[in-house]
Amino acid sequence: MTTAPHPLLATARALADDLLAPHAARVDREVVPASHLAAIRSSGLLGVSAPVEYGGAGAPDAVAREVQEILAGACCSTWFVQTQHHSPVRMLARSALPMRERLLGPLATGELLAGIAFAHVRSFPRVPVRVTAERGGRRFDGRVPWYTGWGLNDVMLLAGVSEQDEVVFAFTEAREQPGLRASEPMRLAALTAARTVSLELDGLWLPEEAVVLRTPREQFALVDRPRNTNASPAVFGVAYAALRVLEEAGEAGTAAALRGPLDEVRGQAYALADHPVPDERIAERLALKTRSYDLMRAATTAAVVAGGGRAVGLDRTAQRLFREGMFLLVQGQTAEVRRAHLDALARL
Ligand SMILES: Cc1cc2nc3c(=O)[nH]c(=O)nc-3n(C[C@H](O)[C@H](O)[C@H](O)COP(=O)(O)OP(=O)(O)OC[C@H]3O[C@@H](n4cnc5c(N)ncnc54)[C@H](O)[C@@H]3O)c2cc1C
């Protein structure tokens, strides 16, 4: 017996084919348009993993992953802005603090779009953002090296570490305010369009009600670290998009030769991502993640090779996928992922 595909998959495909892919070359050179994000907000995709009782779809992780693949393969910049939103949704869904009732509904329905500023917590014992209890709330000081979606999203999930080695996550509006200043958007080799800035925090004060999670840093790391050992759906999305470019260039044989192993690695990586114990089989997860990078690199390289000199024109899909693939090699990178990837590259 087969089950009907989840309706949000058709929604994602329609958005990808009718809106995101046709404009991806222009977006890559400019900025993710508010109209793209408006379409995503009203599509229901922002609530794919959010609880039904808050207006979300409560879809299985397999559906959420496929949605991310479809969007990333169509316009990686737009994908990256919206993908930030899903961590705050998941965190709120697990929280028992009052912020859940205030924000989970608006985030699940797409009324509000969220970004995240928390990767820096992983650089402990370095503490780029320090949190201090002050005046019945929390004061944030330091520097957030990366914040994507500045000027495009509404609220930010900001994390820092306290003197007691607790990780504190709190929401604030994603705009300049006393104690929070943003750099100019960075010009990058890929995804400049996603408006990534760094943030200077100099006494940003947030009330206690803004806090959504407080947890000992070591405990947080136990949950957080294994997460990034899984292969990213965006890597598969970009790789499959490159195979389509190859097919359109008349290189169906090369595309087919890469599609087989890609399908196999995807199946194995997603099976492990669904494994009930997230910190088990880490070596296997890392090996599959590395293999997914290898196959993406082969697919995007083949798309460039098949296109000849024309492939490097800024209006060509092949070079864009190649650059987006480069970005995905470091997105969410941790020390463990970097080591595994470099060790695998050294064995080539
Ligand atoms: C274009 C772009 C946009 C991004 N947007 C966002 C965003 O919106 N929100 C967000 O939260 N992140 C964002 N990131 C960060 C991203 O997810 C990764 O964390 C980042 O790419 C990993 O590289 P890094 O520059 O932090 O590397 P590094 O600082 O080298 O850190 C890599 C890893 O090394 C380890 N490490 C680093 N320093 C130390 C230390 N002193 N001691 C021990 N271990 C250490 C940690 O495990 C760390 O995760 C963005 C990154 C890029 C490139």
Side-chain angles (χ1 to χ4, degrees):
M1 201 180 79
T2 54
T3 49
H6 195 283
L8 282 181
L9 294 178
T11 305
R13 272 197 201 99
L15 261 176
D17 295 346
D18 302 340
L19 182 69
L20 303 189
H23 295 288
R26 181 176 55 82
V27 168
D28 175 54
R29 294 197 295 274
E30 298 173 6
V31 64
V32 173
S35 52
H36 274 32
L37 297 172
I40 288 177
R41 283 170 190 260
S42 61
S43 68
L45 292 178
L46 292 178
V48 58
S49 305
V52 174
E53 54 287 16
Y54 287 81
D61 286 350
V63 173
R65 281 193 297 258
E66 203 170 332
V67 166
Q68 300 310 308
E69 273 184 20
I70 294 167
L71 300 183
C75 176
C76 202
S77 293
T78 305
W79 161 77
F80 193 48
V81 172
Q82 68 76 47
T83 201
Q84 314 296 325
H85 183 88
H86 300 287
S87 310
V89 166
R90 285 173 192 271
M91 192 174 281
L92 280 166
R94 285 193 298 267
S95 175
L97 294 176
M99 205 27 117
R100 172 188 168 112
E101 296 312 314
R102 254 186 64 200
L103 274 187
L104 189 49
L107 292 188
T109 58
E111 183 190 330
L112 291 177
L113 179 63
I116 52 173
F118 89 91
H120 50 273
V121 164
R122 299 187 181 126
S123 62
F124 193 88
R126 208 163 47 83
V127 179
V129 176
R130 175 65 79 195
V131 187
T132 328
E134 191 181 281
R135 289 181 285 128
R138 305 273 159 169
R139 179 194 159 114
F140 290 76
D141 290 281
R143 184 166 179 278
V144 173
W146 310 99
Y147 180 78
T148 292
W150 183 253
L152 297 172
N153 49 33
D154 309 298
V155 291
M156 172 195 318
L157 178 61
L158 171 65
V161 179
S162 73
E163 295 283 1
Q164 295 74 37
D165 274 359
E166 266 187 335
V167 180
V168 180
F169 281 84
F171 278 97
T172 185
E173 286 184 45
R175 58 171 176 78
E176 294 215 333
Q177 50 186 300
L180 191 165
R181 258 184 318 120
S183 71
E184 284 299 304
M186 295 176 200
R187 293 187 53 76
L188 304 161
L191 280 84
T192 291
R195 286 185 66 96
T196 300
V197 296
S198 58
L199 302 171
E200 294 298 333
L201 305 173
D202 180 15
L204 172 71
W205 184 86
L206 301 177
E208 199 59 36
E209 308 84 79
V211 173
V212 64
L213 179 72
R214 265 178 55 198
T215 184
R217 196 207 53 83
E218 268 181 25
Q219 208 169 305
F220 173 74
L222 285 179
V223 181
D224 177 57
R225 235 182 304 146
R227 223 181 272 150
N228 278 335
T229 61
N230 289 311
S232 160
V235 167
F236 295 108
V238 165
Y240 284 121
L243 297 190
R244 287 193 291 276
V245 172
L246 265 179
E247 284 159 358
E248 283 159 17
E251 294 294 341
T254 310
L258 288 166
R259 189 177 294 278
L262 195 59
D263 289 346
E264 196 183 325
V265 168
R266 176 181 181 268
Q268 291 171 348
Y270 287 176
L272 265 188
D274 283 333
H275 187 277
V277 190
D279 59 352
E280 273 183 9
R281 299 171 70 181
I282 293 294
E284 225 177 308
R285 291 172 200 265
L286 285 168
L288 287 164
K289 187 179 179 86
T290 302
R291 183 89 178 111
S292 75
Y293 286 146
D294 291 344
L295 289 163
M296 175 187 69
R297 218 175 48 244
T300 55
T301 303
V304 171
V305 171
R310 288 186 314 270
V312 298
L314 279 181
D315 57 339
R316 305 305 284 226
T317 306
Q319 57 79 35
R320 179 172 52 78
L321 294 171
F322 189 92
R323 288 184 290 107
E324 290 169 347
M326 177 193 67
F327 161 74
L328 293 176
L329 300 179
V330 295
Q331 192 242 333
Q333 187 192 59
T334 61
E336 193 177 20
V337 167
R338 181 186 298 177
R339 188 70 270 141
H341 197 175
L342 287 173
D343 287 351
L345 288 169
R347 286 194 297 269
L348 278 181

